[in-house]
Amino acid sequence: MPASGFAVIDFETTGLFPGGHDRVIEVAVVHVTAEGQIEGQRETLINPGRDLGRQDIHRVRAADVMNAPTFAEVAPRLVSLLSGRVIVAHNAGFDTRFLMAELARANYPVADPVVSLCTMQLARDLLSGTGRSLADCCAAYDIDLTGAHRASVDAYATAQLLASYIASAANPSIWGDSLALAADYSWPTMSAAPRSWYERPDGAQEQTASTFLGRISTRLPEITGPAQDQEYLALLDRCLIDRHLSAHEAQALVLLAEELGLSRHRCEVLHSEYFTALARIAWSDNVLTTAEMADLVDVANLLDIPADALDAALDQPAASLIVVTTAHFKLHLGDLVVLTGDMARPRSAWESELLSRGFAPRSAVTKKVALLVAADPNSLSGKARKARDYGIPIVGEVALARLASAFPLTR
């Protein structure tokens, strides 16, 4: 059987330990012919079912992978893309270990070592005197690496690097031997039904009311009353604690509206009433501070409040505004607070501050916990899933700082 060429791969992962709890969150495959011609590229995000780790490195958000397939669901297509080809990666040991670990978790263990080449190791002979990083090797050939730590970017740059190696290598046998072995290599048979691959979105879409209202049915006539309104408003208030709507929170609002029989129009009315009540609270002392003004603008943007309604709320006291009786979330002394994810501030520092302000940091989520603080409010961690099941609010670090600052340091 003729050799098919090379399959250049790159994984983005939650961490560095494939044998432990770290998982793949993105994979890209670039096909390169035996002669060094790039002939195709595929990529997908992967839902790891856990927290995403250092998001500042790979820049994948939990909202990005919410609807992405699992590794088991992409494995059949991935194996077909690798079959008959030499696997190539920059630091191939890292990528092949993750590949083997993920296939084993998906109940498709690979018995024999895969046929692979490492562009980092090849640099010792083909780029003597150059650094070993992908950036260093690419710089030697003037290969663009803009947007590194995205699987598609790193894999494509590695494919270009491989093509440059092939063109410049004095001894072509280093490729021929590997190609022959790869052509005879047997991959496991994948019987699971594959899912469509799911590329990383080009930009982050900010969740606002307009991004989820379209998913709520239009019902006529209205069949709801004050009790349903208050239940929806209570959830809305909880979702807006940190003045941010996560994808999970938007989904929760849609599901509750459907469950309560609220129409899209009724939800829009409730959003307007909620904003009106917030404006009334801000004006209760007849002074609108800069912070209160900024808060009203934030909520207006999140709820897609019309500009004229925002202007009216900012320009005049709201003496005649509708009063909506929904309790606003507050922390209380002694509340249990749980942290999850790799935060910008060390978790130990947050726990010390929480203790000094009279709260009780905990490591596990129970029904008694008042608040979960996540590096990403859309976190897929087990703690976040349990908090959503219990109806516990989930906020980010900025919101925690604002909520905690109302309580003086005791030591």
Side-chain angles (χ1 to χ4, degrees), residues 295-313:
D295 191 51
L296 289 175
V297 171
D298 286 343
V299 174
N301 289 333
L302 289 169
L303 297 183
D304 295 303
I305 300 299
D308 56 351
L310 174 59
D311 291 342

Side-chain angles (χ1 to χ4, degrees), residues 25-318:
I25 57 174
E26 189 176 33
V27 59
V29 181
V30 181
H31 281 173
V32 180
T33 67
E35 296 73 32
Q37 299 298 313
I38 294 174
E39 57 180 353
Q41 178 172 343
R42 300 289 186 275
E43 65 175 308
T44 183
L45 288 169
I46 293 172
N47 187 329
R50 55 145 289 177
D51 181 77
L52 294 178
R54 290 285 304 277
Q55 290 175 256
D56 58 312
I57 295 176
H58 51 64
R59 302 184 301 281
V60 176
R61 303 170 308 138
D64 296 332
V65 302
M66 272 181 61
N67 299 312
T70 64
F71 190 92
E73 290 171 326
V74 306
R77 186 177 184 189
L78 176 59
V79 166
S80 71
L81 290 170
L82 302 180
S83 182
R85 294 176 177 268
V86 179
I87 294 177
V88 180
H90 200 79
N91 191 5
F94 175 87
D95 292 279
T96 56
R97 282 194 294 273
F98 264 101
L99 174 64
M100 298 301 100
E102 289 287 8
L103 285 173
R105 288 191 188 98
N107 294 319
Y108 293 101
V110 178
D112 299 319
V114 296
V115 182
S116 65
L117 289 172
C118 178
T119 52
M120 182 178 71
Q121 297 296 336
L122 288 169
R124 290 185 299 179
D125 298 322
L126 301 177
L127 285 175
S128 180
T130 302
R132 300 292 180 260
S133 72
L134 181 58
D136 288 336
C137 293
C138 286
Y141 288 106
D142 200 23
I143 296 170
D144 181 41
L145 192 57
T146 304
H149 294 297
R150 174 169 177 159
S152 60
V153 172
D154 290 356
Y156 192 76
T158 303
Q160 291 177 287
L161 182 60
L162 172 65
S164 298
Y165 284 174
I166 293 173
S168 61
N171 181 10
S173 65
I174 62 174
W175 320 115
D177 293 345
S178 295
L179 289 166
L181 290 171
D184 294 332
Y185 186 85
S186 296
W187 286 90
T189 301
M190 310 295 286
S191 59
R195 259 188 69 186
S196 297
W197 282 25
Y198 189 92
E199 293 185 12
R200 190 191 299 207
D202 290 331
Q205 181 185 26
E206 185 67 28
Q207 289 285 335
T208 69
S210 65
T211 63
F212 70 83
L213 282 175
R215 289 182 272 159
I216 298 176
S217 301
T218 301
R219 287 191 174 88
L220 290 174
E222 292 289 352
I223 59 173
T224 59
Q228 290 89 344
D229 289 355
Q230 290 305 310
E231 190 171 346
Y232 181 85
L233 286 167
L235 178 59
L236 180 66
D237 185 62
R238 198 177 79 209
C239 291
L240 295 181
I241 291 170
D242 55 356
R243 299 305 186 243
H244 168 79
L245 268 176
S246 72
H248 279 106
E249 289 167 340
Q251 184 177 45
L253 288 166
V254 171
L255 293 175
L256 182 62
E258 293 290 320
E259 179 184 330
L260 297 175
L262 294 169
S263 71
R264 189 184 312 165
H265 171 71
R266 186 58 190 159
C267 291
E268 290 172 338
V269 170
L270 292 175
H271 293 176
S272 178
E273 292 182 359
Y274 179 89
F275 177 74
T276 297
L278 194 66
R280 181 181 179 85
I281 293 170
W283 279 108
S284 61
D285 58 358
N286 294 318
V287 176
L288 190 67
T289 66
T290 301
E292 289 170 335
M293 185 181 299
D295 191 51
L296 289 175
V297 171
D298 286 343
V299 174
N301 289 333
L302 289 169
L303 297 183
D304 295 303
I305 300 299
D308 56 351
L310 174 59
D311 291 342
L314 295 177
D315 289 345
Q316 61 185 25

